[in-house]
Amino acid sequence: MDPLTRRKFLLASAGAGGVAAIAASGFGLAELLATARGDHEADADDGTDKLVLVTLYGGNDGLNTVIPYADPAYHSARPELAYAPEKVLHLDDSLGLNPVLTGLKRCWDSRQLAVVLGVGYPRPDRSHFRSMDIWQTGSPEAPVPTGWVGRWLDGTNANAEAAVSFEPALPPLLVGETRVGACVAVGGLQLPRGVDAELVAALGRLQDGESELQVRAAESYQDFLRVNELVEQAANSPAPPEVAELPPLPATATGGASSLAAQLALVSRCVEAGVPTRVYSVSLGGFDTHANERVGQEWLLKQLDEALSAFLDRMAKTKAGRRVTVAVYSEFGRRVRANASDGTDHGTAGPLLVMGPGIAGGFYGEQPSLTDLDDGDLKATTDFRDVFGTLLGSVLRADPAQYLNGYQAKLLPLVRGRM
């Protein structure tokens, strides 16, 4: 089957949703950079706020992230995993950060880190896949095919560059019914076996009489070929004067080419270049710590801390960067009691972190009890939709109920001067 015939077959059999996914996965930095103002004298600030969503895949242990170090129940439930009070980075007289989170502690001290306590949802599900689906779709009651950011794309008739993922695959978070966000590979162009650039170029050639969806798919193949070159261009794009003398954000880290540091490096380039993206999705995986948790989680949290603190330091240097808000979440926390393998099993509620120059730092919500449990798990005290609803309203300036399936969010004063 020749390439052009193959494309027609794929398009005919995929349906609209499949075509949208193909177009999104092939979206290149060409379109992003083409929309950049490149006006560093004007600080590339288009006057809009940006939201960076950081997903910690695997279920991060919230009790060893924001640590209830003064609670005797914490120490008795996990004697081998609990941190001694003197090791914890104290935030107040009862809660503190994991010892490796030194950058986030500095962010807390400057009142730019908000810790939302006990975040979860009704009738928690301990399946990684179902729980992450709930968080990304904003629908704990029943499965839905769209993400809450995707529904925002639908409702605003936004272009694909309005929401961009630098993860290896497009997350459900950015998928709407009629619109879909973009997915840009950090590591550049990596074609599967049996596919070469010539074949992709043939798939991208336009034909007379093709439908709008077919044209979109063809153009996405053209963009796909330019990804590798354009990623390099983005990484080497001129920095604005405010950050020109700063050391560059790391392009790689121990997590590899698609590490959180590498993803945030691309976010920083886009923000500084004035790309009109409103929502960025990045991620760090590996938090399913059933065994030997202390070493594994500390290694991951150190990556998180270094990547986020470097990113926030850079964002604070420009007007556009100071309009960036970062939210960090995981699909669930871990059980209160440690297991027999020096780890923790799937749990429920956990802390959610919101940070940035415009954030009103401090604690929000109530720390769940470690003794009044639900089958050994924490009882959520804050609905995650209250946090996402706040971000929709204060950062994206949208009606939270419209994009959270009618849920009436209890808005939190997380962003200065917005609520």
Side-chain angles (χ1 to χ4, degrees):
M1 185 183 295
D2 66 87
L4 295 176
T5 305
R6 184 181 306 177
R7 175 160 67 84
K8 289 183 178 181
F9 170 76
L10 291 172
L11 292 171
S13 60
V19 171
I22 291 171
S25 64
F27 192 91
L29 281 179
E31 294 179 46
L32 286 180
L33 295 178
T35 60
R37 290 179 56 187
D39 182 6
H40 292 315
E41 291 185 3
D43 200 15
D45 181 13
D46 60 6
T48 59
D49 299 310
K50 319 288 185 183
L51 177 62
V52 179
L53 296 168
V54 181
T55 305
L56 306 182
Y57 286 107
N60 178 44
D61 183 5
L63 289 174
N64 272 9
T65 302
V66 178
I67 301 170
Y69 67 89
D71 191 337
Y74 165 72
H75 297 277
S76 63
R78 41 174 70 187
E80 301 300 324
L81 288 181
Y83 286 89
E86 62 271 18
K87 298 291 187 182
V88 175
L89 304 176
H90 293 199
L91 302 180
D92 65 7
D93 58 4
S94 61
L95 296 171
L97 292 174
N98 188 287
V100 303
L101 297 176
T102 54
L104 294 189
K105 177 58 165 58
R106 181 164 47 85
C107 189
W108 171 272
D109 291 340
S110 64
R111 303 295 294 173
Q112 295 183 21
L113 169 62
V115 179
V116 188
L117 300 167
V119 183
Y121 55 86
R123 297 179 297 280
D125 193 304
R126 294 171 184 82
S127 161
H128 290 293
F129 303 104
R130 176 62 187 136
S131 191
M132 185 54 72
D133 181 70
I134 288 170
W135 276 84
Q136 296 205 1
T137 64
S139 178
E141 295 86 3
V144 296
T146 56
W148 63 270
V149 174
R151 294 192 293 273
W152 171 75
L153 293 173
D154 287 342
T156 56
N157 292 318
N159 293 324
E161 67 266 20
V164 174
S165 170
F166 288 129
E167 302 169 77
L170 184 73
L173 175 71
L174 304 189
V175 176
E177 184 176 348
T178 61
R179 303 278 174 169
V180 66
C183 187
V184 178
V186 170
L189 182 62
Q190 294 182 348
L191 296 174
R193 181 176 300 176
V195 178
D196 57 20
E198 183 179 352
L199 174 61
V200 178
L203 291 170
R205 293 187 191 121
L206 297 176
Q207 304 271 311
D208 292 337
E210 291 191 312
S211 69
E212 181 181 350
L213 285 177
Q214 289 173 315
V215 171
R216 271 184 68 196
E219 290 174 343
S220 75
Y221 285 116
Q222 296 171 23
D223 288 334
F224 186 63
L225 282 176
R226 295 195 294 270
V227 168
N228 191 48
E229 177 183 357
L230 292 167
V231 168
E232 293 178 358
Q233 290 176 358
N236 296 320
S237 61
E242 292 87 344
V243 298
E245 301 303 319
L246 293 178
L249 284 174
T252 59
T254 51
S258 61
S259 71
L260 180 61
Q263 295 170 61
L264 288 174
L266 283 182
V267 175
S268 73
R269 301 300 189 270
C270 289
V271 171
E272 291 166 1
V275 170
T277 300
R278 298 292 308 281
V279 181
Y280 294 94
S281 178
V282 298
S283 66
L284 178 64
F287 286 90
D288 198 16
T289 50
H290 288 279
N292 301 317
E293 179 181 303
R294 283 280 288 264
V295 173
Q297 191 194 27
E298 284 186 1
W299 180 68
L300 291 167
L301 290 180
K302 186 173 178 59
Q303 290 183 56
L304 177 71
D305 185 76
E306 291 177 350
L308 282 176
S309 56
F311 175 73
L312 290 168
D313 285 346
R314 189 177 184 102
M315 290 297 93
K317 301 296 183 181
T318 63
K319 287 188 293 185
R322 288 190 289 273
R323 303 187 75 96
V324 171
T325 296
V326 180
V328 183
Y329 74 96
S330 193
E331 68 261 40
F332 46 59
R334 315 296 291 190
R335 293 180 74 83
V336 175
R337 187 166 296 279
N339 60 29
S341 301
D342 292 330
T344 52
D345 298 324
H346 299 178
T348 52
L352 189 153
L353 309 180
V354 184
M355 61 199 77
I359 293 305
F363 287 115
Y364 294 83
E366 179 184 351
Q367 175 68 11
S369 170
L370 272 63
T371 55
D372 180 17
L373 303 176
D374 180 10
D375 191 26
D377 279 323
L378 299 175
K379 296 179 180 178
T381 57
T382 304
D383 194 298
F384 78 105
R385 291 168 293 182
D386 293 340
V387 185
F388 287 166
T390 297
L391 297 175
L392 277 163
S394 62
V395 179
L396 299 182
R397 310 299 178 92
D399 175 15
Q402 182 178 354
Y403 304 116
L404 293 175
N405 294 324
Y407 177 79
Q408 298 296 321
K410 300 174 183 177
L411 303 183
L412 306 172
L414 293 171
V415 183
R416 295 191 184 105
R418 305 284 174 77
M419 291 292 167

